Amino acid sequence: MGSRKDKRPNSGKFSPKEAIRLMRELLAALPGNQPAARISGAIRNELRETIAVLVGRLQEFSAGLDPVLLPANVLDPSDPQVMGTLIANTLLSQQRRPVNDLPRFYGSGVYALYYHGDFDAYAPISGTETPIYVGKADPAEHGAGSVVEQGERLSSRLHDHQRSITAARNLRIEDFECRYLVVKSAWQNTAETYLIEKFKPIWNNEVGICYGFGKHGDSSETRKNTRSPWDTLHPGRRWALTGSTIQNPLSVDEIKAKILQHFKKYPPVGASRLPKNPS
């Protein structure tokens, strides 16, 4: 007795005509307008997941039918993420300068601070290419068209940081360097975001460990806040040590332990040209 012939397509060989037939059957099976209320939640989620996989696979397959290849990379200057990355990488190519010897200059933009001292909590990044803090300075006028219209915003911001570091009792301003870059108005935001995501600098608020460095304490409301981890670890700024500030719930040792865990999770990037200071 002969066996019945299997009419299914050979799974080992692709048949374009069979694929077209199956896709047409699938299209015919789809309702023109199916209210979501008629489909249970579990089935609806399964349908959405399956459709997402199918759409992705069909898009890949469709692209593969084109005999002309797509380029591996496309530079789109109108894409904010692309420009942010370009600006950030340009900043990282700039020469480092001592924070205690910066001139006044026009312009707004982005910057990075680097540490090469011997404070124990920062040993993992001392003398490396991982910044301890990155930031931006917005222009004095929104949409400023020239660096003069931008004002001395970047320069002023760096000098503010210089004063904060100098005020700290257990930091030396000589142990800090910076890179900075003046950029066209509005592009500093995406560059800062890229730098924070890339390096996760320990002093940045977004990292959530040793934050508070960027505060200036120039208002009564600021002075009444809880003392920041940064001011707890590096006491010295007078406004942060007044009786009106609330002591931080974390001790110095607890803050240092969190910093150590952070560096274990996010190892520093690249050794710099500078040797670490001896302990």
Side-chain angles (χ1 to χ4, degrees), residues 180-203:
Y180 57 86
L181 182 68
V182 174
V183 302
K184 185 176 178 61
S185 299
W187 288 112
Q188 69 278 358
N189 296 311
T190 52
E192 181 195 38
T193 298
Y194 173 84
L195 289 165
I196 292 173
E197 285 297 316
K198 179 179 177 67
F199 294 109
K200 295 177 174 53
I202 197 65
W203 282 2

PDB file of all heavy atoms in Angstrom, residues 180-203:
ATOM      1  N   TYR A 180      37.115  71.283  28.485  1.00  0.00           N
ATOM      2  CA  TYR A 180      35.884  72.026  28.212  1.00  0.00           C
ATOM      3  C   TYR A 180      35.799  72.359  26.734  1.00  0.00           C
ATOM      4  O   TYR A 180      36.807  72.400  26.021  1.00  0.00           O
ATOM      5  CB  TYR A 180      35.796  73.298  29.065  1.00  0.00           C
ATOM      6  CG  TYR A 180      36.942  74.275  28.914  1.00  0.00           C
ATOM      7  CD1 TYR A 180      36.947  75.241  27.894  1.00  0.00           C
ATOM      8  CD2 TYR A 180      38.003  74.270  29.808  1.00  0.00           C
ATOM      9  CE1 TYR A 180      37.977  76.157  27.776  1.00  0.00           C
ATOM     10  CE2 TYR A 180      39.040  75.184  29.700  1.00  0.00           C
ATOM     11  CZ  TYR A 180      39.032  76.122  28.683  1.00  0.00           C
ATOM     12  OH  TYR A 180      40.060  77.023  28.570  1.00  0.00           O
ATOM     13  N   LEU A 181      34.570  72.537  26.278  1.00  0.00           N
ATOM     14  CA  LEU A 181      34.330  72.803  24.863  1.00  0.00           C
ATOM     15  C   LEU A 181      33.141  73.730  24.718  1.00  0.00           C
ATOM     16  O   LEU A 181      32.042  73.435  25.200  1.00  0.00           O
ATOM     17  CB  LEU A 181      34.055  71.494  24.129  1.00  0.00           C
ATOM     18  CG  LEU A 181      33.814  71.580  22.617  1.00  0.00           C
ATOM     19  CD1 LEU A 181      35.106  71.984  21.900  1.00  0.00           C
ATOM     20  CD2 LEU A 181      33.302  70.237  22.074  1.00  0.00           C
ATOM     21  N   VAL A 182      33.345  74.856  24.068  1.00  0.00           N
ATOM     22  CA  VAL A 182      32.255  75.782  23.756  1.00  0.00           C
ATOM     23  C   VAL A 182      31.517  75.241  22.538  1.00  0.00           C
ATOM     24  O   VAL A 182      32.142  74.859  21.543  1.00  0.00           O
ATOM     25  CB  VAL A 182      32.797  77.197  23.467  1.00  0.00           C
ATOM     26  CG1 VAL A 182      31.680  78.123  22.998  1.00  0.00           C
ATOM     27  CG2 VAL A 182      33.470  77.766  24.714  1.00  0.00           C
ATOM     28  N   VAL A 183      30.193  75.181  22.618  1.00  0.00           N
ATOM     29  CA  VAL A 183      29.400  74.627  21.521  1.00  0.00           C
ATOM     30  C   VAL A 183      28.257  75.568  21.171  1.00  0.00           C
ATOM     31  O   VAL A 183      27.888  76.445  21.954  1.00  0.00           O
ATOM     32  CB  VAL A 183      28.826  73.239  21.878  1.00  0.00           C
ATOM     33  CG1 VAL A 183      29.932  72.275  22.234  1.00  0.00           C
ATOM     34  CG2 VAL A 183      27.828  73.329  23.007  1.00  0.00           C
ATOM     35  N   LYS A 184      27.701  75.367  20.007  1.00  0.00           N
ATOM     36  CA  LYS A 184      26.563  76.152  19.557  1.00  0.00           C
ATOM     37  C   LYS A 184      25.400  75.969  20.529  1.00  0.00           C
ATOM     38  O   LYS A 184      25.164  74.869  21.045  1.00  0.00           O
ATOM     39  CB  LYS A 184      26.147  75.726  18.149  1.00  0.00           C
ATOM     40  CG  LYS A 184      25.042  76.573  17.530  1.00  0.00           C
ATOM     41  CD  LYS A 184      24.778  76.137  16.110  1.00  0.00           C
ATOM     42  CE  LYS A 184      23.633  76.927  15.480  1.00  0.00           C
ATOM     43  NZ  LYS A 184      23.908  78.363  15.426  1.00  0.00           N
ATOM     44  N   SER A 185      24.684  77.046  20.792  1.00  0.00           N
ATOM     45  CA  SER A 185      23.583  77.022  21.765  1.00  0.00           C
ATOM     46  C   SER A 185      22.623  75.878  21.492  1.00  0.00           C
ATOM     47  O   SER A 185      22.283  75.593  20.341  1.00  0.00           O
ATOM     48  CB  SER A 185      22.828  78.349  21.732  1.00  0.00           C
ATOM     49  OG  SER A 185      23.686  79.422  22.073  1.00  0.00           O
ATOM     50  N   ALA A 186      22.188  75.225  22.561  1.00  0.00           N
ATOM     51  CA  ALA A 186      21.191  74.146  22.580  1.00  0.00           C
ATOM     52  C   ALA A 186      21.782  72.755  22.426  1.00  0.00           C
ATOM     53  O   ALA A 186      21.123  71.767  22.747  1.00  0.00           O
ATOM     54  CB  ALA A 186      20.096  74.356  21.534  1.00  0.00           C
ATOM     55  N   TRP A 187      23.040  72.631  21.967  1.00  0.00           N
ATOM     56  CA  TRP A 187      23.617  71.305  21.769  1.00  0.00           C
ATOM     57  C   TRP A 187      24.297  70.778  23.018  1.00  0.00           C
ATOM     58  O   TRP A 187      24.701  69.617  23.052  1.00  0.00           O
ATOM     59  CB  TRP A 187      24.606  71.328  20.602  1.00  0.00           C
ATOM     60  CG  TRP A 187      23.938  71.443  19.263  1.00  0.00           C
ATOM     61  CD1 TRP A 187      23.983  72.506  18.411  1.00  0.00           C
ATOM     62  CD2 TRP A 187      23.105  70.471  18.632  1.00  0.00           C
ATOM     63  NE1 TRP A 187      23.240  72.244  17.287  1.00  0.00           N
ATOM     64  CE2 TRP A 187      22.686  70.995  17.395  1.00  0.00           C
ATOM     65  CE3 TRP A 187      22.668  69.191  18.994  1.00  0.00           C
ATOM     66  CZ2 TRP A 187      21.858  70.303  16.530  1.00  0.00           C
ATOM     67  CZ3 TRP A 187      21.841  68.491  18.128  1.00  0.00           C
ATOM     68  CH2 TRP A 187      21.457  69.046  16.908  1.00  0.00           C
ATOM     69  N   GLN A 188      24.448  71.590  24.047  1.00  0.00           N
ATOM     70  CA  GLN A 188      25.149  71.147  25.252  1.00  0.00           C
ATOM     71  C   GLN A 188      24.371  70.071  26.019  1.00  0.00           C
ATOM     72  O   GLN A 188      24.959  69.234  26.701  1.00  0.00           O
ATOM     73  CB  GLN A 188      25.464  72.332  26.180  1.00  0.00           C
ATOM     74  CG  GLN A 188      24.278  72.989  26.852  1.00  0.00           C
ATOM     75  CD  GLN A 188      23.575  73.990  25.948  1.00  0.00           C
ATOM     76  OE1 GLN A 188      23.992  74.230  24.820  1.00  0.00           O
ATOM     77  NE2 GLN A 188      22.511  74.598  26.452  1.00  0.00           N
ATOM     78  N   ASN A 189      23.046  70.081  25.896  1.00  0.00           N
ATOM     79  CA  ASN A 189      22.230  69.134  26.673  1.00  0.00           C
ATOM     80  C   ASN A 189      22.467  67.689  26.251  1.00  0.00           C
ATOM     81  O   ASN A 189      22.664  66.808  27.087  1.00  0.00           O
ATOM     82  CB  ASN A 189      20.746  69.485  26.521  1.00  0.00           C
ATOM     83  CG  ASN A 189      20.414  70.837  27.107  1.00  0.00           C
ATOM     84  OD1 ASN A 189      20.786  71.146  28.223  1.00  0.00           O
ATOM     85  ND2 ASN A 189      19.711  71.657  26.343  1.00  0.00           N
ATOM     86  N   THR A 190      22.409  67.431  24.932  1.00  0.00           N
ATOM     87  CA  THR A 190      22.583  66.057  24.461  1.00  0.00           C
ATOM     88  C   THR A 190      24.006  65.563  24.708  1.00  0.00           C
ATOM     89  O   THR A 190      24.209  64.376  24.977  1.00  0.00           O
ATOM     90  CB  THR A 190      22.249  65.950  22.959  1.00  0.00           C
ATOM     91  OG1 THR A 190      22.993  66.938  22.237  1.00  0.00           O
ATOM     92  CG2 THR A 190      20.772  66.170  22.725  1.00  0.00           C
ATOM     93  N   ALA A 191      24.976  66.466  24.623  1.00  0.00           N
ATOM     94  CA  ALA A 191      26.367  66.066  24.881  1.00  0.00           C
ATOM     95  C   ALA A 191      26.548  65.679  26.347  1.00  0.00           C
ATOM     96  O   ALA A 191      27.202  64.671  26.658  1.00  0.00           O
ATOM     97  CB  ALA A 191      27.314  67.201  24.512  1.00  0.00           C
ATOM     98  N   GLU A 192      25.965  66.450  27.252  1.00  0.00           N
ATOM     99  CA  GLU A 192      26.072  66.125  28.674  1.00  0.00           C
ATOM    100  C   GLU A 192      25.421  64.779  28.969  1.00  0.00           C
ATOM    101  O   GLU A 192      25.974  63.951  29.718  1.00  0.00           O
ATOM    102  CB  GLU A 192      25.418  67.213  29.521  1.00  0.00           C
ATOM    103  CG  GLU A 192      25.519  66.946  31.015  1.00  0.00           C
ATOM    104  CD  GLU A 192      24.580  67.795  31.848  1.00  0.00           C
ATOM    105  OE1 GLU A 192      23.438  68.030  31.401  1.00  0.00           O
ATOM    106  OE2 GLU A 192      24.981  68.218  32.944  1.00  0.00           O
ATOM    107  N   THR A 193      24.244  64.542  28.388  1.00  0.00           N
ATOM    108  CA  THR A 193      23.549  63.271  28.605  1.00  0.00           C
ATOM    109  C   THR A 193      24.408  62.094  28.150  1.00  0.00           C
ATOM    110  O   THR A 193      24.513  61.072  28.844  1.00  0.00           O
ATOM    111  CB  THR A 193      22.210  63.262  27.845  1.00  0.00           C
ATOM    112  OG1 THR A 193      21.386  64.313  28.350  1.00  0.00           O
ATOM    113  CG2 THR A 193      21.492  61.930  28.012  1.00  0.00           C
ATOM    114  N   TYR A 194      25.048  62.224  26.994  1.00  0.00           N
ATOM    115  CA  TYR A 194      25.910  61.156  26.482  1.00  0.00           C
ATOM    116  C   TYR A 194      27.074  60.893  27.437  1.00  0.00           C
ATOM    117  O   TYR A 194      27.406  59.734  27.738  1.00  0.00           O
ATOM    118  CB  TYR A 194      26.448  61.535  25.104  1.00  0.00           C
ATOM    119  CG  TYR A 194      27.488  60.578  24.563  1.00  0.00           C
ATOM    120  CD1 TYR A 194      27.110  59.417  23.904  1.00  0.00           C
ATOM    121  CD2 TYR A 194      28.840  60.836  24.733  1.00  0.00           C
ATOM    122  CE1 TYR A 194      28.067  58.534  23.415  1.00  0.00           C
ATOM    123  CE2 TYR A 194      29.811  59.954  24.257  1.00  0.00           C
ATOM    124  CZ  TYR A 194      29.409  58.811  23.599  1.00  0.00           C
ATOM    125  OH  TYR A 194      30.361  57.937  23.136  1.00  0.00           O
ATOM    126  N   LEU A 195      27.703  61.959  27.938  1.00  0.00           N
ATOM    127  CA  LEU A 195      28.855  61.816  28.827  1.00  0.00           C
ATOM    128  C   LEU A 195      28.474  61.146  30.144  1.00  0.00           C
ATOM    129  O   LEU A 195      29.213  60.307  30.667  1.00  0.00           O
ATOM    130  CB  LEU A 195      29.477  63.189  29.095  1.00  0.00           C
ATOM    131  CG  LEU A 195      30.207  63.824  27.910  1.00  0.00           C
ATOM    132  CD1 LEU A 195      30.449  65.306  28.169  1.00  0.00           C
ATOM    133  CD2 LEU A 195      31.531  63.103  27.652  1.00  0.00           C
ATOM    134  N   ILE A 196      27.316  61.510  30.680  1.00  0.00           N
ATOM    135  CA  ILE A 196      26.864  60.898  31.933  1.00  0.00           C
ATOM    136  C   ILE A 196      26.587  59.417  31.734  1.00  0.00           C
ATOM    137  O   ILE A 196      26.964  58.579  32.558  1.00  0.00           O
ATOM    138  CB  ILE A 196      25.620  61.629  32.477  1.00  0.00           C
ATOM    139  CG1 ILE A 196      25.993  63.053  32.925  1.00  0.00           C
ATOM    140  CG2 ILE A 196      25.009  60.861  33.654  1.00  0.00           C
ATOM    141  CD1 ILE A 196      24.808  63.908  33.308  1.00  0.00           C
ATOM    142  N   GLU A 197      25.946  59.071  30.614  1.00  0.00           N
ATOM    143  CA  GLU A 197      25.650  57.670  30.336  1.00  0.00           C
ATOM    144  C   GLU A 197      26.929  56.868  30.096  1.00  0.00           C
ATOM    145  O   GLU A 197      27.039  55.712  30.510  1.00  0.00           O
ATOM    146  CB  GLU A 197      24.738  57.559  29.110  1.00  0.00           C
ATOM    147  CG  GLU A 197      23.295  57.954  29.385  1.00  0.00           C
ATOM    148  CD  GLU A 197      22.636  57.032  30.400  1.00  0.00           C
ATOM    149  OE1 GLU A 197      22.812  55.804  30.302  1.00  0.00           O
ATOM    150  OE2 GLU A 197      21.967  57.549  31.313  1.00  0.00           O
ATOM    151  N   LYS A 198      27.901  57.475  29.464  1.00  0.00           N
ATOM    152  CA  LYS A 198      29.146  56.776  29.129  1.00  0.00           C
ATOM    153  C   LYS A 198      30.012  56.528  30.357  1.00  0.00           C
ATOM    154  O   LYS A 198      30.536  55.424  30.555  1.00  0.00           O
ATOM    155  CB  LYS A 198      29.946  57.586  28.094  1.00  0.00           C
ATOM    156  CG  LYS A 198      31.277  56.958  27.690  1.00  0.00           C
ATOM    157  CD  LYS A 198      31.975  57.815  26.645  1.00  0.00           C
ATOM    158  CE  LYS A 198      33.345  57.254  26.281  1.00  0.00           C
ATOM    159  NZ  LYS A 198      33.238  55.958  25.578  1.00  0.00           N
ATOM    160  N   PHE A 199      30.174  57.551  31.214  1.00  0.00           N
ATOM    161  CA  PHE A 199      31.130  57.457  32.316  1.00  0.00           C
ATOM    162  C   PHE A 199      30.488  57.262  33.697  1.00  0.00           C
ATOM    163  O   PHE A 199      31.156  56.831  34.621  1.00  0.00           O
ATOM    164  CB  PHE A 199      32.007  58.708  32.348  1.00  0.00           C
ATOM    165  CG  PHE A 199      32.916  58.856  31.171  1.00  0.00           C
ATOM    166  CD1 PHE A 199      32.686  59.823  30.207  1.00  0.00           C
ATOM    167  CD2 PHE A 199      34.011  58.019  31.020  1.00  0.00           C
ATOM    168  CE1 PHE A 199      33.532  59.970  29.119  1.00  0.00           C
ATOM    169  CE2 PHE A 199      34.865  58.151  29.936  1.00  0.00           C
ATOM    170  CZ  PHE A 199      34.625  59.124  28.988  1.00  0.00           C
ATOM    171  N   LYS A 200      29.237  57.647  33.852  1.00  0.00           N
ATOM    172  CA  LYS A 200      28.565  57.588  35.154  1.00  0.00           C
ATOM    173  C   LYS A 200      29.453  58.205  36.245  1.00  0.00           C
ATOM    174  O   LYS A 200      29.819  57.544  37.228  1.00  0.00           O
ATOM    175  CB  LYS A 200      28.182  56.151  35.482  1.00  0.00           C
ATOM    176  CG  LYS A 200      27.152  55.593  34.510  1.00  0.00           C
ATOM    177  CD  LYS A 200      26.826  54.151  34.776  1.00  0.00           C
ATOM    178  CE  LYS A 200      25.684  53.678  33.871  1.00  0.00           C
ATOM    179  NZ  LYS A 200      25.915  53.930  32.441  1.00  0.00           N
ATOM    180  N   PRO A 201      29.782  59.481  36.104  1.00  0.00           N
ATOM    181  CA  PRO A 201      30.703  60.133  37.045  1.00  0.00           C
ATOM    182  C   PRO A 201      30.138  60.163  38.465  1.00  0.00           C
ATOM    183  O   PRO A 201      28.970  60.480  38.674  1.00  0.00           O
ATOM    184  CB  PRO A 201      30.846  61.553  36.471  1.00  0.00           C
ATOM    185  CG  PRO A 201      30.430  61.430  35.040  1.00  0.00           C
ATOM    186  CD  PRO A 201      29.357  60.398  35.032  1.00  0.00           C
ATOM    187  N   ILE A 202      30.987  59.863  39.424  1.00  0.00           N
ATOM    188  CA  ILE A 202      30.552  59.647  40.798  1.00  0.00           C
ATOM    189  C   ILE A 202      29.974  60.898  41.458  1.00  0.00           C
ATOM    190  O   ILE A 202      29.165  60.800  42.389  1.00  0.00           O
ATOM    191  CB  ILE A 202      31.717  59.067  41.637  1.00  0.00           C
ATOM    192  CG1 ILE A 202      31.205  58.442  42.923  1.00  0.00           C
ATOM    193  CG2 ILE A 202      32.771  60.128  41.902  1.00  0.00           C
ATOM    194  CD1 ILE A 202      30.326  57.247  42.726  1.00  0.00           C
ATOM    195  N   TRP A 203      30.340  62.092  40.995  1.00  0.00           N
ATOM    196  CA  TRP A 203      29.819  63.323  41.597  1.00  0.00           C
ATOM    197  C   TRP A 203      28.530  63.808  40.936  1.00  0.00           C
ATOM    198  O   TRP A 203      27.929  64.771  41.419  1.00  0.00           O
ATOM    199  CB  TRP A 203      30.858  64.438  41.523  1.00  0.00           C
ATOM    200  CG  TRP A 203      31.941  64.328  42.557  1.00  0.00           C
ATOM    201  CD1 TRP A 203      32.114  63.355  43.488  1.00  0.00           C
ATOM    202  CD2 TRP A 203      33.029  65.257  42.743  1.00  0.00           C
ATOM    203  NE1 TRP A 203      33.230  63.603  44.257  1.00  0.00           N
ATOM    204  CE2 TRP A 203      33.813  64.764  43.814  1.00  0.00           C
ATOM    205  CE3 TRP A 203      33.409  66.439  42.107  1.00  0.00           C
ATOM    206  CZ2 TRP A 203      34.951  65.425  44.273  1.00  0.00           C
ATOM    207  CZ3 TRP A 203      34.547  67.094  42.551  1.00  0.00           C
ATOM    208  CH2 TRP A 203      35.311  66.597  43.631  1.00  0.00           C
TER     209      TRP A 203
END
